[in-house]
Amino acid sequence: MSNTVFSPFETVKFEGPSSDNALAYRYYDADRVVLGKPLKEHLRFAVAYWHSLAMTASDPFGGPTIHRPWNEPGDPIAQAKVKADAAFELFRVLDLPFYCFHDADMAPAAPTLAETLKNFHIMADYLGEKMSGSKTKLLWGTANLFSHPRFMAGASTNPDPDVFRWSAATVKHCMDVTKQLGGSNYVLWGGREGYETLLNTDMKHELEQMGRFLSLVVEYKHKIGFDGQILIEPKPKEPTSHQYDFDTATVFGFLKKYGLEKEVRVNLEANHATLAGHSFEHEIATAGALGILGSLDINRGDALLGWDTDQFPNDLWTMTMSMYHVIKAGGLGKGGCNFDAKVRRQSFTAEDMIHAHVGGADLCARAFLTAAKLIEDGKYDALLTERYAGWQTPEAKSLLDGSTSLDQIAARAEAEAIDPQPRSGKQEQIENLLMRSIYTDNV
Amino acid sequence: MSNTVFSPFETVKFEGPSSDNALAYRYYDADRVVLGKPLKEHLRFAVAYWHSLAMTASDPFGGPTIHRPWNEPGDPIAQAKVKADAAFELFRVLDLPFYCFHDADMAPAAPTLAETLKNFHIMADYLGEKMSGSKTKLLWGTANLFSHPRFMAGASTNPDPDVFRWSAATVKHCMDVTKQLGGSNYVLWGGREGYETLLNTDMKHELEQMGRFLSLVVEYKHKIGFDGQILIEPKPKEPTSHQYDFDTATVFGFLKKYGLEKEVRVNLEANHATLAGHSFEHEIATAGALGILGSLDINRGDALLGWDTDQFPNDLWTMTMSMYHVIKAGGLGKGGCNFDAKVRRQSFTAEDMIHAHVGGADLCARAFLTAAKLIEDGKYDALLTERYAGWQTPEAKSLLDGSTSLDQIAARAEAEAIDPQPRSGKQEQIENLLMRSIYTDNV
Amino acid sequence: MSNTVFSPFETVKFEGPSSDNALAYRYYDADRVVLGKPLKEHLRFAVAYWHSLAMTASDPFGGPTIHRPWNEPGDPIAQAKVKADAAFELFRVLDLPFYCFHDADMAPAAPTLAETLKNFHIMADYLGEKMSGSKTKLLWGTANLFSHPRFMAGASTNPDPDVFRWSAATVKHCMDVTKQLGGSNYVLWGGREGYETLLNTDMKHELEQMGRFLSLVVEYKHKIGFDGQILIEPKPKEPTSHQYDFDTATVFGFLKKYGLEKEVRVNLEANHATLAGHSFEHEIATAGALGILGSLDINRGDALLGWDTDQFPNDLWTMTMSMYHVIKAGGLGKGGCNFDAKVRRQSFTAEDMIHAHVGGADLCARAFLTAAKLIEDGKYDALLTERYAGWQTPEAKSLLDGSTSLDQIAARAEAEAIDPQPRSGKQEQIENLLMRSIYTDNV
Amino acid sequence: MSNTVFSPFETVKFEGPSSDNALAYRYYDADRVVLGKPLKEHLRFAVAYWHSLAMTASDPFGGPTIHRPWNEPGDPIAQAKVKADAAFELFRVLDLPFYCFHDADMAPAAPTLAETLKNFHIMADYLGEKMSGSKTKLLWGTANLFSHPRFMAGASTNPDPDVFRWSAATVKHCMDVTKQLGGSNYVLWGGREGYETLLNTDMKHELEQMGRFLSLVVEYKHKIGFDGQILIEPKPKEPTSHQYDFDTATVFGFLKKYGLEKEVRVNLEANHATLAGHSFEHEIATAGALGILGSLDINRGDALLGWDTDQFPNDLWTMTMSMYHVIKAGGLGKGGCNFDAKVRRQSFTAEDMIHAHVGGADLCARAFLTAAKLIEDGKYDALLTERYAGWQTPEAKSLLDGSTSLDQIAARAEAEAIDPQPRSGKQEQIENLLMRSIYTDNV
């Protein structure tokens, strides 16, 4: 076993709610069976290579505070391997079943496309070796098409077609590697697919570029027989002023326009939801309603800050209702819960990194257990069913099934002199019920 | 001519930029021909019956400050006619070519559906009479399906199917009246089509209800041979916590889902755009790119306030770029510019109402004239054309036309060792060019 | 006992966490002693006359949904007494120790100042009678100087000095009545003390008006021997675009300017805090640090909505940390926890009103119990103490005590070649500790 | 003359509004006398060393796009001199009268305090030499106490007193150098004087630290006879979650608490104002009303983005009203207009940098000229004077002068049966007047 910053830590174990060990799981009992299968198969937790291994905690007003050995000067490939060794040590410590990566996190960029791709494949093989000695699998791979200056005006939506081509080449190899490593999904986050200012942008042309790019990806998936999901990760803005994949509803319209709504799903992130003006549970419920829920990026934003803080989650209410909507949508399938979250800039120690994941995993696990109880108990669902019960009559169904026209409905409403009466929406009663269900540790 | 609060005012005339008459148009020269037709046919200004006649300027913390004779106690129909007389006096004073109404603005509600509809038709006939003696036409009609308590949980999306039926009956008659009065468009704003809390909401069922409702409307339009446009007005929230027609992109996805994207367009409002996190010009450009630009609601929000302030516009930059994107999208066609704007609570005099419209019309007119000059002059467009010039080569076109696969693009990019070089986005240069173009009164 | 809408409900009792009665207190055990005194004396819960009795649940887009008998046409004083009877029935049901009022909630306005004041005193006497037969006391009184159109441009800050005078007369009587009824505090919320637009505002003059008004209030308090606290309630905006009492820090500066920082404290509202860009606990901690914490308005906003939603609280984390800072600041003293919260527009039944308060009181009680445990347990505080431990050395103290100059400090730092080393801020560890403490029902 | 990236550009000249040279001033006619002195003395424009020389245009999602020779590897002092040479070339090109710096922009950091300070003095001497051959003066100096990891938990507010000491030493030298170079002001921006999370913060202690630190600075100013102004630059957040110097009103309260309100003024930045929920003109008017207006940081934010975009200004309305309030407050005195603005990430060329400043200077100049005309013309001020005219009577004055008590005012108001009548706030009329004044290039 390599000697890394994470090596001194023992593997985190489930010890139950009464444990007084800060580095133990209290709720994440991986093998506990709920709703018919083990918790770990519902949640499919993943560690994010970028935030957990590559991040240095600089911000727009200050430099790095996290200094890891693999960021010291040295041979790029050798250092990337040191980083990979540390990654697998972290996976061991956390005992979570998956990880996720961008090409740029795990392999060093080089001046030319050829060398960059070569580095990437060297490191892909190395990760493959590491995985063969580990139980951690790949939840998804993705390409970083936003950090390098060549992407400053977009990747597939760049005014320069050569950047589109560079992006295509990169994604092709990234899909190959994701397949090679047994990934369950391939994700596209269009970090600069949008505009810094509309003033210099031909939006219609850029949307066309992006539509074709996604079609290329889907066609290639089928060509190589990759059986994972293709996922788009919506975000409304940052670093751009406007990102084309604004939110779930926007992505759905985009997929419909290019006939890809059966081929592509969404990878939803909590902080991206709130930046778009939505709750996390709203985005999940919307994706569920539209049939495109794919996977989750677990984190939280700060409602009082206007940027992507990517904090580890601590809001039990939101997470419980999010998990409720996940279950209602049929679960995450090949997706999972990826900790796309970063420790704060002052939390620079290796121990901080472990605390952060332990807290996050426990919060999600407890939220899932509570959501499952809510559903099994049925009282909450019964309130909803009762609220919409009027729609179960034949007459009501005829309003929706296409059999009646507007003037027929009008004529009948007038003839019957309908006079619908108000009914309480019972929001406070429901909130009280949920408070009692969510804020108990009897899960 | 009736004696109304607006009667003392003379008809506002175009007097040019150097006029020192506060109640004159300086830029809105209705018959000035630009881009091949008179300004009035480009802009198709409309006065909003609700804000300009029905509003009393109460707010959540205070009561009415606007007291008009027609709001005094009296016979409802008689008072509605007094209001209508004042409306046509206001139209005369402002000399704008169109108006817009909700059923509830111009006819009094009554306890039953039948009586409510009867009142509506009485007033529709009365408005028809008024129109025959006026040059003001109807830009659009719409139904108020949000103010009455029966709509508190939505109209078409209500958990109670009887509210859906009431809404259907209302819209049927409202479409009939819009056709009767020669309206160019019929608008649906789903003020409560959304949720107050997701906790008591079956979103999937409600979206299905809303989808069927819209289809009913479109089918009925064809049945009665109404040749106006059907328009949806997006808004993200308020009074709801979430409105399903969040923004243009969301509406597009909804239309695609129900196969209505050729049948329905959007009526875009500036303040709704900003509440959704978009600029007005963004929403217009998006609708243009998606082929669903219909009409505009002219107003402005306050970027520092989180609610719909519906102020009269005064931001020349935003309005100019908005008009630029209107022209680029092919103009407003049957749509127009409706002043969905209200005077401030302290601006309770009749004179304030006239000042507000004069300022708004002049701002839009000047913005349109400047946008037309920008386009005719061509310097700005040339910068954009040059930026995307790379996409004109056959090789670049092959990236988008479906003839090349991801791996072919990748192979060729690798073989050619492409190395795209950064090019300036020139944002500041473009902003300077636009400042010089927009902030000059030489239009 | 009067027959009111609240009469059918039994008094809500403490039944503990395991109760399955929705209308029972689970955590609010009024007589439970914690930190040396009963919970009810720490929290001093109050029912707000306006939201709970006067509100009709209209919003800017829709009319009333709450119809109470006392809002029907009738003799104003008689109806005000019906309302008062219902109020005391509601207080009986909820069994909370206090209430709060505005003059305008409990007495009908009249066309003249004299009649308005007369009505007010009639109702004050009537409330006094009701109180003599009830255990509910008055937490605070206040004057509504924002709803009537005369206040549209402000009360004490109005451009018209007669409005200043009207306001002064009203506040004088409102203070008299608050004293008469044994109120513990007198509150000023400057709902329109600010501006709708800076464009028509002489801010300097208005601030001077407001400063003098507050001094008048403080002088009068002493003159009549009112021994309650004078409180200012900060809010950043709404209905105004800018309210002068923006937040705690702003109010502090204002008090200092007029030498009133020992005389006046703040009444902090959760939703006002978030509208100002602060958390509730931030405002409480700030008031604690500045020595001006007075009382709390309990509610919550919606982080995704930009207006004052005034919802009943359900966020246990925020409320617990808020109560923690209350305790750290020395408690609420003569202040209390007033439910300045309103049921949702669809929650129009009397039962909804009771559920709302029960849930709110329980959340606050549980939050307080947890905060007390946090403090008694000491682990959390120990982390803070340790973080600042460096400041306990004599050398460090000399940096703050005025004994050392900038150049002396510099010289010594240079001489010692200091090189401060990074220490983890441990945010995630602390959050995990707090999650374990807050999200357990073992209180 | 050194050969730098800015050397190829000719000095930008005033050519008037009709010029077709993109790199000319159209409104910034430095010597034009308005309101009794030359424009350059009113505006006192400054170039910011950090944004214009040190910035590389990286953002949280991508690396540098601006590559300047002085950022290449090399001897730190030698490279800092190359940068300084380029800076003075840029000053020559722009022909603006001032510049501003942080210690860290112009001198390289070193591992120890002693070496860091040594580097700083070497470079201070070098800048002194450059200045002797240039007409550009120093508007203000400041210390960067936020970028280095040692400041991650604050500078003067750090939990570690050694960081307070380091900061004190740095500021001492930075004040010395500012004096040495003839600076007109010394600025403190507390970029990390606040908290990342309240959870690990002792706010009261930190405020005390900050208060003492500011007193140390003021005392040292007097000790060394520095006759410039001490300025605090408010910002509400970013990089922190909360910055103690939130806005002007907060700073005023802080100054009052430490008795420094006559010693310290504010340096106001447009983007910081909007992040705090205020308009730029609001902050200027507030500082004017409180007597603490010091200097301006010229830039703009994006109302749809939640972070500090620091763009060059292009909103003529806001800038004109800002300049109006500057003039009303008596002008900027020793302060000035510092371009604390950065080119967009895609605007990486030297030419972009020049365009940006030219556009910004011209916008400010035009805004000032229009504001001066507004004041000289007097129509706008007359509207305000008329609005508050009622306060000129002896009776009204007695309300404010301390001569009358609350009960006396009440008694008299009742006796006179006052009944104040509504008056229009005329917002739309005023906006129309301002639109006509601002959007004309006849300045």
Side-chain angles (χ1 to χ4, degrees), chain B residues 2-226:
Chain B
S2 318
N3 185 16
T4 79
V5 296
F6 300 115
S7 300
F9 296 91
E10 288 180 26
T11 295
V12 177
K13 292 189 177 54
F14 171 73
E15 300 184 3
S18 60
S19 170
D20 58 3
N21 173 7
L23 289 181
Y25 293 120
R26 281 161 178 72
Y27 300 99
Y28 180 50
D29 181 3
D31 296 313
R32 174 170 169 185
V33 175
V34 53
L35 297 177
K37 62 181 178 183
L39 206 44
K40 69 182 173 193
E41 294 181 22
H42 285 290
L43 293 168
R44 295 166 61 88
F45 285 128
V47 179
Y49 212 99
W50 53 102
H51 282 319
S52 299
L53 283 305
M55 191 186 75
T56 63
S58 63
D59 71 20
F61 295 85
T65 60
I66 296 182
H67 302 284
R68 302 289 192 229
W70 52 87
N71 292 328
E72 301 296 312
D75 173 69
I77 290 291
Q79 284 294 63
K81 289 182 178 174
V82 172
K83 193 202 284 186
D85 294 347
F88 280 80
E89 272 298 280
L90 178 61
F91 304 159
R92 174 197 59 78
V93 173
L94 296 174
D95 199 20
L96 299 177
F98 291 96
Y99 75 107
C100 299
F101 68 78
H102 298 84
D103 54 346
D105 309 325
M106 55 87 151
T112 67
L113 178 57
E115 290 167 275
T116 299
L117 293 173
K118 187 179 156 202
N119 284 352
F120 181 46
H121 284 290
I122 290 170
M123 286 308 303
D125 292 343
Y126 190 74
L127 287 185
E129 284 170 42
K130 299 295 297 184
M131 288 171 75
S132 69
S134 157
K135 55 185 177 171
T136 304
K137 295 183 210 153
L138 179 63
L139 185 64
W140 46 263
T142 189
N144 177 327
L145 301 175
F146 48 90
S147 292
H148 191 279
R150 80 174 60 83
F151 303 119
M152 70 183 179
S156 72
T157 63
N158 204 288
D160 181 349
D162 272 1
V163 179
F164 181 102
R165 294 167 78 206
W166 184 295
S167 306
T170 302
V171 168
K172 186 261 176 203
H173 286 273
C174 215
M175 291 176 73
D176 291 343
V177 164
T178 300
K179 179 169 183 264
Q180 169 189 340
L181 296 178
S184 296
N185 307 271
Y186 184 81
V187 168
L188 296 112
W189 174 55
R192 300 202 197 260
E193 309 292 33
Y195 58 76
E196 208 164 65
T197 176
L198 184 57
L199 297 176
N200 67 10
T201 303
D202 183 341
M203 198 202 290
K204 190 173 180 177
H205 198 277
E206 294 200 358
L207 288 171
E208 211 181 304
Q209 294 172 220
M210 196 167 81
R212 178 59 194 146
F213 196 87
L214 185 58
S215 298
L216 285 166
V217 165
V218 169
E219 290 159 16
Y220 188 65
K221 167 194 148 147
H222 291 299
K223 184 167 184 173
I224 61 172
F226 172 57

Side-chain angles (χ1 to χ4, degrees), chain C residues 79-275:
Chain C
Q79 285 293 63
K81 290 181 178 175
V82 172
K83 193 201 284 188
D85 294 347
F88 279 79
E89 271 299 279
L90 178 61
F91 305 158
R92 175 198 56 79
V93 173
L94 296 174
D95 199 19
L96 299 177
F98 291 96
Y99 75 107
C100 301
F101 67 80
H102 300 82
D103 54 347
D105 308 327
M106 54 87 150
T112 66
L113 177 57
E115 290 167 276
T116 299
L117 293 173
K118 187 179 158 203
N119 286 351
F120 181 46
H121 284 290
I122 291 170
M123 286 308 303
D125 292 342
Y126 190 74
L127 287 185
E129 285 170 41
K130 299 294 299 184
M131 287 172 74
S132 69
S134 159
K135 56 183 176 172
T136 304
K137 295 184 210 151
L138 180 62
L139 185 63
W140 46 263
T142 190
N144 177 328
L145 301 176
F146 47 90
S147 292
H148 192 280
R150 82 174 59 83
F151 304 118
M152 67 183 180
S156 72
T157 62
N158 203 290
D160 180 351
D162 272 0
V163 180
F164 182 103
R165 297 168 75 208
W166 184 293
S167 305
T170 302
V171 167
K172 185 260 176 204
H173 287 271
C174 214
M175 292 176 72
D176 290 344
V177 165
T178 298
K179 178 167 185 266
Q180 169 189 342
L181 297 178
S184 297
N185 307 270
Y186 184 81
V187 169
L188 296 113
W189 173 57
R192 299 201 198 262
E193 309 292 33
Y195 58 76
E196 209 165 65
T197 177
L198 183 56
L199 297 177
N200 65 12
T201 303
D202 181 341
M203 197 202 289
K204 190 172 181 177
H205 198 276
E206 295 200 359
L207 287 170
E208 209 183 306
Q209 295 172 220
M210 197 167 82
R212 178 60 195 146
F213 196 88
L214 186 59
S215 298
L216 286 167
V217 166
V218 170
E219 290 160 15
Y220 188 65
K221 165 193 150 147
H222 292 298
K223 180 165 187 174
I224 63 173
F226 172 57
D227 66 355
Q229 300 182 115
I230 303 295
L231 303 176
I232 283 183
E233 179 170 330
K235 189 180 182 186
K237 55 188 164 189
E238 197 204 13
T240 58
S241 299
H242 176 80
Q243 186 169 323
Y244 295 132
D245 296 323
F246 191 86
D247 59 7
T248 298
T250 300
V251 169
F252 178 75
F254 180 75
L255 296 178
K256 287 288 291 184
K257 185 163 183 211
Y258 293 96
L260 297 170
E261 74 275 14
K262 306 281 187 210
E263 296 280 0
V264 181
R265 291 170 167 254
V266 284
N267 180 44
L268 296 175
E269 175 175 324
N271 204 158
H272 294 181
T274 49
L275 286 174

Side-chain angles (χ1 to χ4, degrees), chain C residues 264-295:
Chain C
V264 181
R265 291 170 167 254
V266 284
N267 180 44
L268 296 175
E269 175 175 324
N271 204 158
H272 294 181
T274 49
L275 286 174
H278 307 305
S279 67
F280 193 27
E281 51 267 45
H282 167 87
E283 282 291 88
I284 294 169
T286 300
L290 298 173
I292 57 169
L293 178 62
S295 194

